[in-house]
Amino acid sequence: MKRTALLLFTLALPACGSSYAQQGPSDTLRAYAQALQEGRVDAAYRLLSDEAKRSMSLEAFRRAVRDNPDDALEIARAIARPAADPVVTATVTMPNGEELLLVFEGGRWRLDAAAVDLYGQATPRQALVGFLRAFERRRYDIIMRYVPDAEKEGLVEPAGGEAGAPRGEGAAQPAGPGGAAGSASADAAQKPGGRPGTAKGAAQLTPEKLKAAWEGPQKEQINRVVQAIKAALPTATIEETGDSASMAYGAGGTVAFTREHGVWKIKDF
């Protein structure tokens, strides 16, 4: 019974975002709630989105309401009194994988502030798009924004064990923003005899060191990986868990994200 009630509530939500200019989300919620309260099941069903209707047929919807009348009424009473005015938004995915948010205000669709933030970090996807844009423009000063603090300060071991050492496909990709911090910082920690020292406690990563690594020994590899990420981004799914996120790309590659100080950064790829 609880699962049925939850399904009814979930199915009710898509109708809120499918509003027309003359019918706002609150109107749709009230109409749906009233239809359920008055037993007009078919009228309530018509307010569901196409996706919701594909998930549950009219007959199945009728049966769910008939078999669980108390749950249906409880849901109706709850959604008839939203805690705040609904905000209608739409997300448009661009060919390069960038997402633009639009907000419905005053009867018109308007672009969200993120549309003018070329190097945003509000979401993992926005951070990755901003990083790729900075990389294409060779803006290493901006790329530094996407490097986690620990790597930026040279407080991690260099990826791959040696400074600038290439990492292969899949689980061992060339150093990303985080990994590059270890790699580039390790250059400043060479031991006598030419053996690389640990990056821990090494000099801080700078845009100049990053440029030297990515336009020098790692150039071919980093370009290949960036192209693979760009190809995957438009259709890729980014999984978020707390302050961590990841996105698979190519033949076993993974972009790892971390959230610091409320913004998303790229830990490795």
Side-chain angles (χ1 to χ4, degrees), residues 15-107:
C16 306
S18 303
S19 61
Y20 301 94
Q22 68 272 20
Q23 182 180 12
S26 295
D27 299 323
T28 301
L29 285 172
R30 283 192 294 268
Y32 180 82
Q34 187 175 355
L36 285 180
Q37 290 171 332
E38 296 175 355
R40 294 182 290 110
V41 180
D42 289 16
Y45 186 80
R46 285 195 293 270
L47 292 172
L48 300 183
S49 68
D50 291 341
E51 181 180 356
K53 290 174 182 176
R54 285 192 293 270
S55 300
M56 177 178 279
S57 67
L58 174 58
E59 184 55 39
F61 185 79
R62 289 170 177 166
R63 184 168 56 253
V65 174
R66 183 180 63 247
D67 294 346
N68 305 279
D70 293 339
D71 291 330
L73 289 176
E74 181 180 348
I75 292 171
R77 287 191 293 268
I79 65 176
R81 301 186 301 274
D85 292 335
V87 176
V88 182
T89 63
T91 301
V92 178
T93 302
M94 309 300 285
N96 65 352
E98 184 173 359
E99 291 184 345
L100 293 180
L101 181 68
L102 293 93
V103 181
F104 195 72
E105 294 179 341

Side-chain angles (χ1 to χ4, degrees), residues 3-213:
R3 288 185 60 188
T4 302
L6 179 60
L7 178 59
L8 286 173
F9 181 70
T10 303
L11 291 174
L13 293 180
C16 306
S18 303
S19 61
Y20 301 94
Q22 68 272 20
Q23 182 180 12
S26 295
D27 299 323
T28 301
L29 285 172
R30 283 192 294 268
Y32 180 82
Q34 187 175 355
L36 285 180
Q37 290 171 332
E38 296 175 355
R40 294 182 290 110
V41 180
D42 289 16
Y45 186 80
R46 285 195 293 270
L47 292 172
L48 300 183
S49 68
D50 291 341
E51 181 180 356
K53 290 174 182 176
R54 285 192 293 270
S55 300
M56 177 178 279
S57 67
L58 174 58
E59 184 55 39
F61 185 79
R62 289 170 177 166
R63 184 168 56 253
V65 174
R66 183 180 63 247
D67 294 346
N68 305 279
D70 293 339
D71 291 330
L73 289 176
E74 181 180 348
I75 292 171
R77 287 191 293 268
I79 65 176
R81 301 186 301 274
D85 292 335
V87 176
V88 182
T89 63
T91 301
V92 178
T93 302
M94 309 300 285
N96 65 352
E98 184 173 359
E99 291 184 345
L100 293 180
L101 181 68
L102 293 93
V103 181
F104 195 72
E105 294 179 341
R108 294 177 181 272
W109 285 102
R110 303 180 187 276
L111 289 169
D112 183 68
V116 298
D117 189 357
L118 299 180
Y119 302 104
Q121 294 174 262
T123 67
R125 185 177 296 273
Q126 191 180 46
L128 187 55
V129 169
F131 163 77
L132 293 174
R133 180 178 284 118
F135 179 82
E136 288 177 350
R137 290 160 175 74
R138 298 298 188 261
R139 292 293 307 275
Y140 293 99
D141 56 325
I142 293 177
I143 289 176
M144 291 292 294
R145 300 179 189 176
Y146 301 97
V147 179
D149 291 350
E151 286 85 353
K152 199 181 301 182
E153 297 296 326
L155 299 178
V156 295
E157 297 292 330
E162 292 189 3
R167 297 189 290 168
E169 294 292 328
Q173 294 290 353
S183 179
S185 295
D187 291 339
Q190 293 289 324
K191 294 180 179 178
R195 293 175 59 87
T198 174
K200 199 168 185 178
Q204 293 184 347
L205 180 68
T206 65
E208 292 73 25
K209 290 179 181 178
L210 198 57
K211 179 180 180 179

